[in-house]
């Protein structure tokens, strides 16, 4: 049973990954039209997907304005593992895909924004240090305009940013009340940050649930959000008033981080001194009485030598 499940589960995951790639990463697909290089290399025979395990597949794309590249990671159910398969029958989980877009430094203004279902966005606000430091919940809907579906929550540094990024086109396509009910079933979260805690400081992160291999077209509108927001963020500029506030917040945060580092260095230095002092005391305690006497005698001789007058001798 374990052997049969291993090969059948492995095949199921491969079919899901290949179905996604054939739908969105082959010739004339959405990523082919938006990126000049697909896959991990530039050769014709380079595979589109990189398999990192029986349930993890990665796709890379680059060669587009405003960004250095995109990494998509598919984390599928552990179908090849019989115990995990049984567990997933009791505690259901989803196949997920995460898109990380690495924006060029000059192509992303001060943007801090997250959108997910209300319970999930609260967790994101606690877990992501940058959201916790800079952003807060949007509790009231902007006047005289459409807004996201009722079950979704928004966290942002500025209401201006939220209003500018949640456009009518996005509401009509996916995130509005009517469209979300029909096309947003696989939506999990969006997260944009110019203060991301990694090698890449400016990122866009999209997380979606994957449908089964036969219904991959169901997530077409979700995938279309990725190039849409790359262009929108790449062109977006804050107003002078909003930028002044975000600049002030970042300067304040930088000063706090500097103080924390200084305090940490002082604490480390004090700890090092205390440890050295303790070590010397323990070393002296271990010295025998005779060794202590010798040490004291040596010290007395040194002191006497300092006190004694110096005699200068000359030849007759």
């Amino acid at each position: 049973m374990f052997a049969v499940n291993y090969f059948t589960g492995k095949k199921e995951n491969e079919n899901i990954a290949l179905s996604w790639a054939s739908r969105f990463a082959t010739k004339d697909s959405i990523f082919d039209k938006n990126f000049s290089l697909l896959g991990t290399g530039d050769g014709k025979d380079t595979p589109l997907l990189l398999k990192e395990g029986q349930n993890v597949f990665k796709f890379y794309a680059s060669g587009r304005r405003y960004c250095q590249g995109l990494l998509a990671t598919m984390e599928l159910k552990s179908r090849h593992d019989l115990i995990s398969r049984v567990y997933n029958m009791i505690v259901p989980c989803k196949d997920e895909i995460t898109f990380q877009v690495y924006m060029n430094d000059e192509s992303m203004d001060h943007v801090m924004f997250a959108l997910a279902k209300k319970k999930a966005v609260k967790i994101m606000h606690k877990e992501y240090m940058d959201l916790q430091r800079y952003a807060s919940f949007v509790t009231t809907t902007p006047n005289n305009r459409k807004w996201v579906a009722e079950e979704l929550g928004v966290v942002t540094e500025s209401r201006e940013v939220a209003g500018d990024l949640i456009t009518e086109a996005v509401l009509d396509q996916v995130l509005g009340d009517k469209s979300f009910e029909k096309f947003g079933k696989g939506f999990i979260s969006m997260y944009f940050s110019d203060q991301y805690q990694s090698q890449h400081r400016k990122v866009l992160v999209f997380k979606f649930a994957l449908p089964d291999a036969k219904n991959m077209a169901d997530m077409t509108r979700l995938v279309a959000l990725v190039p849409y927001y790359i262009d929108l963020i790449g062109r977006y500029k804050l107003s002078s008033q909003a930028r002044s506030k975000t600049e002030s917040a970042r300067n304040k945060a930088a000063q706090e981080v500097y103080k924390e580092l200084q305090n940490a260095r002082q604490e480390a230095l004090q700890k090092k001194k205390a440890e050295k002092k303790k070590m010397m005391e323990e070393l002296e305690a271990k010295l025998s009485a005779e060794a202590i006497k010798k040490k004291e005698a040596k010290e007395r001789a040194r002191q006497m030598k300092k006190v004694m007058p110096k005699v200068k001798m000359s030849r007759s």
Side-chain angles (χ1 to χ4, degrees):
M1 286 176 64
F2 274 93
V4 170
N5 180 77
Y6 177 83
F7 288 106
T8 55
K10 174 173 170 285
K11 191 68 177 174
E12 282 181 64
N13 280 347
E14 287 175 353
N15 286 341
I16 291 171
L18 290 171
S19 175
W20 182 88
S22 63
R23 180 78 190 180
F24 300 110
T26 51
K27 186 174 174 58
D28 295 327
S29 66
I30 187 168
F31 285 112
D32 183 56
K33 291 176 180 177
N34 280 277
F35 292 86
S36 60
L37 179 62
L38 305 181
T40 54
D42 54 2
K44 292 182 179 179
D45 298 328
T46 302
L48 282 173
L49 297 177
L50 179 64
K51 186 176 180 181
E52 289 199 344
Q54 302 305 336
N55 64 322
V56 178
F57 300 83
K58 293 194 173 184
F59 165 77
Y60 185 75
S62 60
R64 193 184 197 284
R65 64 177 179 174
Y66 304 133
C67 68
Q68 299 170 31
L70 169 148
L71 177 65
T73 303
M74 282 178 264
E75 296 183 77
L76 310 180
K77 298 176 187 176
S78 298
R79 293 179 173 85
H80 62 288
D81 183 355
L82 184 59
I83 295 174
S84 294
R85 187 186 281 266
V86 173
Y87 178 77
N88 289 337
M89 290 178 182
I90 303 168
V91 183
C93 68
K94 298 176 181 178
D95 295 317
E96 295 181 359
I97 184 167
T98 302
F99 298 91
Q100 287 186 306
V101 181
Y102 309 119
M103 298 294 289
N104 296 329
D105 287 341
E106 68 278 4
S107 300
M108 186 173 181
D109 209 340
H110 294 168
V111 174
M112 194 69 61
F113 174 85
L115 173 68
K117 289 188 176 179
K118 289 180 177 177
K119 187 176 179 180
V121 84
K122 286 180 181 178
I123 295 171
M124 291 174 71
H125 189 253
K126 289 179 182 178
E127 291 182 347
Y128 289 86
M129 186 61 68
D130 49 356
L131 289 177
Q132 193 180 115
R133 178 171 285 163
Y134 298 103
S136 57
F137 291 91
V138 176
T139 54
T140 56
T141 304
N143 296 328
N144 303 321
R145 61 159 298 175
K146 297 178 183 178
W147 199 237
V148 295
E150 182 65 28
E151 58 262 52
L152 296 174
V154 179
V155 170
T156 183
E157 186 177 7
S158 164
R159 285 174 60 85
E160 177 185 306
V161 170
D164 292 341
L165 296 188
I166 301 173
T167 61
E168 287 200 16
V170 168
L171 293 171
D172 291 338
Q173 288 294 308
V174 184
L175 300 178
D177 281 314
K178 293 180 181 178
S179 57
F180 190 77
E181 185 179 347
K182 190 174 181 180
F183 302 106
K185 293 177 183 177
F187 180 84
I188 297 175
S189 66
M190 293 193 309
Y191 161 61
F192 308 153
S193 175
D194 68 309
Q195 297 291 312
Y196 192 57
Q197 303 299 312
S198 78
Q199 180 184 355
H200 300 277
R201 296 287 288 175
K202 301 188 176 185
V203 298
L204 314 181
V205 182
F206 304 82
K207 188 174 283 190
F208 308 131
L210 283 163
D212 57 47
K214 295 179 181 178
N215 298 307
M216 202 56 68
D218 291 351
M219 69 177 306
T220 301
R221 292 196 182 195
L222 292 176
V223 174
L225 291 174
V226 179
Y228 176 83
Y229 273 108
I230 292 174
D231 284 337
L232 182 58
I233 295 293
R235 293 191 298 261
Y236 182 66
K237 298 297 178 187
L238 286 164
S239 68
S240 57
Q241 185 179 0
R243 184 172 179 81
S244 176
K245 288 182 180 179
T246 58
E247 193 78 46
S248 176
R250 278 152 181 72
N251 289 337
K252 184 179 178 182
Q255 289 173 5
E256 288 173 358
V257 170
Y258 179 75
K259 286 180 182 178
E260 287 173 6
L261 287 172
Q262 288 292 91
N263 291 336
R265 284 174 186 163
Q266 288 294 329
E267 287 176 8
L269 187 62
Q270 292 294 332
K271 187 178 178 182
K272 191 174 179 181
K273 285 182 178 178
E275 287 175 352
K276 187 176 180 181
K277 184 179 179 182
K278 186 179 178 182
M279 187 177 70
M280 293 298 295
E281 288 173 353
E282 288 176 354
L283 188 63
E284 286 182 2
K286 290 178 182 178
L287 291 173
S288 64
E290 188 178 346
I292 292 173
K293 286 179 182 178
K294 285 182 179 179
K295 184 181 177 184
E296 289 175 350
K298 190 176 181 180
E299 181 64 20
R300 279 199 301 271
R302 189 173 69 83
Q303 293 297 332
M304 288 294 292
K305 192 176 181 180
K306 283 185 179 179
V307 175
M308 287 177 65
K310 294 181 181 180
V311 179
K312 185 175 180 181
M313 297 183 69
S314 60
R315 291 186 181 184
S316 59

